[in-house]
Amino acid sequence: MSAIEVILVDSQDRPTGKMEKMKVHEKGLLHRAITVYVFNSRHQLLLQRRASDKYHCGGLWSNTTCGHPYPQESTRDAAERRLSEEMGLNLTLQPVFELSYNLPLSNGLTEHEYGHVYFAISDEQPVINLEEADEWRYSSLAEIECEIEANPAQFTPWFLLTFSRIPSELARFIAQQ
């Protein structure tokens, strides 16, 4: 199996090259990423707990799915691919916002990403890929907020960073549907 390459970008998300994914995280280089939030019709968020043997943040709760586009792959295609690969859901995703962050991880890796965030609303039940996630649940945003306040260490750093934007972005997303 060949190494997975990701897209290096500048601060405006313009491609500057490509590099093997692990090297990018070791060097802390800015690269393109996707993040997916799926809500059910009650506006509860579908969370996943990352598989315990993931190369970083294993065993932590996070957004529905995340990952990286392959070179020459659109961010929407990557988001829909990762949603299918990780959660077994084949949904049409809508772009909602973009952000950039530089988060050191506990294992010496760095998540320095220009993220494209996508939403969907669906009542389909996931069929998780156990290599990616070992548990899932739907929770209200209020419940998640209380959990974050009580025990932030049970969530991924990027989820903690982006979660504060989710209630207002979800309200805007719903109004546009």
Side-chain angles (χ1 to χ4, degrees):
M1 183 172 151
S2 62
I4 296 171
E5 290 188 319
V6 298
I7 305 164
L8 300 173
V9 296
D10 66 14
S11 63
Q12 302 300 308
D13 194 38
R14 293 180 294 241
T16 60
K18 58 187 178 180
M19 185 180 287
E20 192 272 323
K21 180 173 75 168
M22 188 57 79
K23 287 182 182 174
V24 168
H25 288 102
E26 289 169 351
K27 295 175 183 259
L29 300 176
L30 183 60
H31 60 285
R32 189 172 291 158
I34 54 90
T35 301
V36 176
Y37 288 83
V38 173
F39 301 88
N40 64 17
S41 59
R42 295 171 48 205
H43 304 141
Q44 295 172 311
L45 175 59
L46 175 58
L47 296 170
Q48 69 153 275
R49 188 172 66 194
R50 291 170 60 86
S52 60
D53 60 353
K54 294 286 283 187
Y55 69 100
H56 69 76
C57 299
L60 299 181
W61 287 97
S62 199
N63 50 284
T64 310
T65 192
C66 55
H68 306 90
Y70 297 137
Q72 308 306 315
E73 182 182 36
S74 74
T75 57
R76 183 190 310 254
D77 287 347
E80 291 176 354
R81 172 181 53 81
R82 290 302 293 157
L83 182 60
S84 178
E85 290 172 352
E86 291 188 19
M87 304 300 281
L89 296 173
N90 295 301
L91 304 175
T92 300
L93 300 172
Q94 299 300 317
V96 178
F97 65 95
E98 298 174 6
L99 78 162
S100 185
Y101 50 85
N102 190 347
L103 301 168
L105 304 175
S106 61
N107 61 356
L109 300 177
T110 301
E111 287 283 20
H112 190 190
E113 297 183 331
Y114 189 99
H116 296 256
V117 181
Y118 289 85
F119 282 10
I121 296 177
S122 173
D123 287 322
E124 287 185 49
Q125 297 295 300
V127 178
I128 59 175
N129 175 347
L130 294 175
E131 292 179 5
E132 300 289 345
D134 60 19
E135 194 172 328
W136 64 272
R137 64 183 164 107
Y138 278 101
S139 294
S140 73
L141 298 181
E143 291 169 335
I144 296 167
E145 185 173 12
C146 288
E147 289 179 40
I148 288 172
E149 288 176 15
N151 188 8
Q154 71 179 333
F155 294 95
T156 61
W158 61 90
F159 182 75
L160 293 172
L161 179 75
T162 59
F163 182 76
S164 64
R165 287 190 65 174
I166 300 307
S168 62
E169 296 291 350
L170 177 60
R172 190 170 58 83
F173 180 74
I174 292 167
Q176 294 173 350
Q177 300 300 302

